[in-house]
Amino acid sequence: MGAGASSGRGQLFLRSLLFLLLAGPPARHPAWGQLRYAVPEELEHGAFVANLGEDLGLDVSTLSARRFRIVSRAGARQHLEVNLENGILFVNERIDREEVCEAGGTCLLHLQLLVESPLELYRVEVEVLDINDHAPTFPWQEYVLEVAESAVLGARFPLESAQDPDVGTNSVHTYRLSPNGFFSLEVQTRSDASKFAELVLERALDREQQRVHRVLLTALDGGVPERSGTAHILVTVLDANDNVPAFDQPSYGVSLPEDAPAGTLVIQLNATDLDEGPNGEIEYSFSGHAPPRVRELFHIEPRSGQVLLKGRLDYERASLHELYVQAKDRGPSAVAVHCRVLVHLLDVNDNAPEVTLTSVSTPVLEDAPPGTVIAVISVLDRDSGDNGRVSCEVGPNVPFELRSSFRNYYTLVTTQALDREVVPEYNVSITARDMGSPALLTRSTLTVPVSDVNDNAPRFLQPSYSVYVMENNAPGASICSVSALDPDCQQNAYLSYSIADGHIHGMPVGTYVSINSDSGHMYALRSLDYEQIRSFQIQVQAQDAGFPPLSANVTVHIFVLDQNDNAPVIVSPLPRNGSVATELVPRSARPGYLVGTVSAVDADAGLNSRLSYQLLQATDFTLFSVAPDTGELRTLRSFLEQDATRQQLVVQVRDSGQPALSATMSLLLSVVETMPQTLSDFSEFSLPPEVSSSSPLTLYLLVSLGTISFTFLLAILILTAIRCRGERRSRQGDSCSPPRCHCCPGSRPSSDGLKTSNLTAQPPAGTTAATCLDVPPGGPPGYCYKVCLGPESAQSDFMFLKPCSPPRNNEKDAGKRSRPDQHLQVSKEAKQPSTDWLPPSTQRPALKRYQIQHWGNRGSRWR
């Protein structure tokens, strides 16, 4: 058994090789743009068919990247496949020609080959060649032929034909009959080139001598090697029924629509028999070799000869059915006669078009140019003629159209630019309609999503933002939030916020505010002071995460609101030598006499700097009054003899803020008979004309002033001598060089040295070097200080006053770096008076003298 199988496979290989040699090179049809090959049936898996890569002129190395493939309908068997590594078309599964092509004739496999980038479509036809893989077979292995003894010599008895599924020379070619003395065999050919055998009586039969004759009928095909099939014929000799039925014609033809219902009369057959009685009664039936499909579709009435439709016809499956009918009388030794009925089916439009998406390239970028291929669509209608002609179109109001590349193949392309922000997704309706009557159509919907590109910049919800922040805010507190929108999606719509580089009063903007890059919340990094900065603006940028990134800017205006955080400061009159302010009032003063003006300033603004004056305490409230708005101190009445000569007053200055802040001052008024020619503690008032310039008090003041000036100059000389001696020692010890201490002789201080606000290098303990310190401008506005401390005395110091530029931001930090062992105290910087509420012009000279005298007194305390 194994040897036989091996021999069969070898013969199959030789036959396949012979077919390939006979088929020759592939047939090309340039007009249709397709190739044609031939391949024998029953080849094993992997058998070579053709080299498509070479025949189509494709680069074999790019077949896999370009997705080279065979396009087939869903559910169809894939008999052939392409090797993407070498472009060879090979057998994927065994091909049985008799199974693939039920009808005879040429058996073709139609292949559609698709390759992308760019999109190309090829059509290939593969003819399946028949091999002699089937032997002829008879319907029965043994059947009985009844022959009347009265049969004449030369009588012919048709025999059952053998069937061979193969075609051409591989089908039934001839018949042979085993040797015998009564019968011979003649082979006849029908109009369709099929063969059948007739048994010819060569010698008269004698039932009394031999009732039964046995012969062997052999059917042979024309294949190589030759195959055969046999049937045993048992010839029974009967008594005379010497007439056989006869049909009107040997072959009948009829046309029938494929949608004919069951029970439809196909044809009425008629056969006649010249005999009488049972020998003349005819019965009709299918011949033995009628295929099962015919028996499923048709039925024959045995007595009437009517051929009726029993099953459902399908023109697309088979357009022609061949029926072999036999007629046989009921007499003894009945002989069957045969006829052929050809049933031609008429096509009706019963198949709607089929729409298949062969290749889909989605999603599509919104910046794709017009003409971009979205999908390849194939349309199939299994009907024929006009019923199978199909037109395809897309629905209205979509930026797509169909272009026909091959028959029944279309490409869906864009017709205009897309915009995902307007339409993010398209549902394209594809309608395929045939030309039948009535026309049938099929609608298929293709969803085409549009992929986003970064083509939209962020947009802020407001053109600008105005933020109001109360001064003295807590550092790190949220002050506002900005928000922007980006109509793009995914990472193209992810926004990050940042603050553009810039400076506010010489400092980077990043030291004032920060922003959360994700939420857009802005935070103040420092406590703001209305008296230092009232408003500023920053640029906030929103940038998306697309490529390339897009951004937008918005201006944020930040306004600092004033708080009542500064109490009024009384600038006139000023106390002398740390005691209360004193003033002289002539006893002859009349009501309304101007004793002086109390002047004060407030660094706040608006109502917070609006000041009011009132007399809080007084020795006699009926004697003096203070103007609430100007602070002018005037007498209410004339002095009486019983009035005290010393009047104690307490004046309060209050601002209008909430809550209100206030300051008080004590004033001691002395009632004198005559007014001396001295300056009062008030900023300015007129001396009475009766005061003589030759008063002894004036002489005392001049002598005191001269003594103090001489003592001050002497002290300067002594300190200079001490400083120079210490400088010489430090030079010998190499501890302090002239550039380090600008107060040393021989080292002239420069303007840059006076402006600096950083500590100089500090010598280690035990050295005799002088220590130099630049004092930040905590004193009166417009002055800065240079202090040098000598090694001999920690208590001795010297100060220089020099005009300088406004305070810098780093001067506060510089003041913090002074050494604590130097015992140098620097007062905090006084805030500048607000210009929103200035004192009357009569008080401004007093304010100037207040600054000089006040800061001079502070310098005395430092010394």
Side-chain angles (χ1 to χ4, degrees), residues 583-590 593-596 623-624 633 635 639 645 647 649 667-676 682 685 688:
E583 187 55 52
L584 301 178
V585 181
R587 182 174 292 276
S588 60
R590 296 179 178 275
Y593 173 79
L594 177 62
V595 179
L623 189 57
F624 299 97
L633 181 61
T635 58
F639 286 96
T645 58
Q647 298 286 332
L649 304 180
L667 179 62
L668 181 60
L669 298 180
S670 298
V671 181
V672 296
E673 296 297 334
T674 59
M675 293 292 292
F682 284 103
F685 60 88

Side-chain angles (χ1 to χ4, degrees), residues 336-392:
V337 295
H338 300 81
C339 75
R340 184 177 64 167
V341 179
L342 298 178
V343 181
H344 298 272
L345 299 186
L346 302 177
D347 183 41
V348 295
N349 193 22
D350 58 344
N351 291 281
E354 300 176 4
V355 178
T356 303
L357 298 176
T358 303
S359 178
V360 181
S361 299
T362 56
V364 59
L365 291 175
E366 63 176 322
D367 61 349
T372 301
V373 177
I374 305 301
V376 177
I377 301 168
S378 62
V379 182
L380 174 66
D381 194 318
R382 295 187 295 168
D383 294 323
S384 61
D386 289 341
N387 297 331
R389 293 175 56 192
V390 180
S391 64
C392 201

Side-chain angles (χ1 to χ4, degrees), residues 588-847:
S588 60
R590 296 179 178 275
Y593 173 79
L594 177 62
V595 179
T597 301
V598 179
S599 299
V601 294
D602 195 315
D604 293 323
L607 291 177
N608 295 331
S609 64
R610 189 181 184 90
L611 304 180
S612 62
Y613 302 84
Q614 66 175 348
L615 192 60
L616 194 63
Q617 295 179 11
T619 304
D620 187 352
F621 281 97
T622 64
L623 189 57
F624 299 97
S625 67
V626 175
D629 297 329
T630 62
E632 293 179 346
L633 181 61
R634 295 181 181 273
T635 58
L636 293 176
R637 60 179 175 82
S638 300
F639 286 96
L640 303 179
E641 293 183 0
Q642 62 270 22
D643 292 334
T645 58
R646 297 174 65 87
Q647 298 286 332
Q648 181 77 29
L649 304 180
V650 176
V651 179
Q652 181 186 59
V653 183
R654 179 186 297 270
D655 59 28
S656 301
Q658 291 294 332
L661 301 178
S662 62
T664 59
M665 66 157 295
S666 296
L667 179 62
L668 181 60
L669 298 180
S670 298
V671 181
V672 296
E673 296 297 334
T674 59
M675 293 292 292
Q677 293 183 356
T678 59
L679 292 176
S680 66
D681 288 341
F682 284 103
S683 297
E684 55 182 35
F685 60 88
S686 301
L687 292 177
E690 61 269 16
V691 178
S692 173
S693 59
S694 60
S695 173
L697 182 58
T698 302
L699 180 62
Y700 298 154
L701 291 175
L702 291 175
V703 173
S704 300
L705 181 61
T707 304
I708 293 172
S709 299
F710 176 77
T711 306
F712 180 70
L713 291 175
L714 182 61
I716 289 175
L717 294 176
I718 294 173
L719 288 174
T720 301
I722 295 174
R723 179 64 60 194
C724 291
R725 194 177 82 178
E727 186 68 24
R728 285 194 298 271
R729 292 181 180 178
S730 62
R731 288 180 183 178
Q732 295 174 359
D734 201 12
S735 298
C736 179
S737 60
R740 287 192 176 183
C741 186
H742 300 300
C743 60
C744 299
S747 166
R748 185 171 184 176
S750 65
S751 60
D752 295 339
L754 293 178
K755 291 181 181 179
T756 184
S757 61
N758 298 325
L759 289 175
T760 58
Q762 300 175 1
T767 62
T768 60
T771 301
C772 299
L773 172 66
D774 288 344
V775 180
Y783 289 88
C784 57
Y785 300 90
K786 182 74 176 180
V787 180
C788 295
L789 302 179
E792 291 81 10
S793 174
Q795 302 299 327
S796 64
D797 57 4
F798 194 75
M799 293 192 306
F800 294 93
L801 286 158
K802 179 185 182 298
C804 65
S805 60
R808 294 190 297 269
N809 292 331
N810 60 352
E811 288 175 349
K812 293 183 179 181
D813 296 334
K816 294 179 182 178
R817 290 195 294 267
S818 59
R819 294 182 58 183
D821 55 359
Q822 293 174 347
H823 303 286
L824 179 63
Q825 298 180 355
V826 181
S827 65
K828 296 182 178 178
E829 179 182 356
K831 294 183 178 179
Q832 296 296 322
S834 172
T835 59
D836 293 344
W837 185 255
L838 294 176
S841 58
T842 56
Q843 299 179 8
R844 294 178 185 174
L847 292 177

Side-chain angles (χ1 to χ4, degrees), residues 6 28 52 99 111 149 185 190 271 381 412 473 482 491 542 647 707 770 793 819 823 829:
S6 301
R28 300 175 182 266
L52 292 178
E99 179 182 353
L111 305 179
E149 63 178 349
L185 191 68
R190 298 189 181 96
D381 194 318
L412 182 67
N473 58 290
V482 297
Q491 70 173 13
Q647 298 286 332
T707 304
S793 174
R819 294 182 58 183
H823 303 286
E829 179 182 356

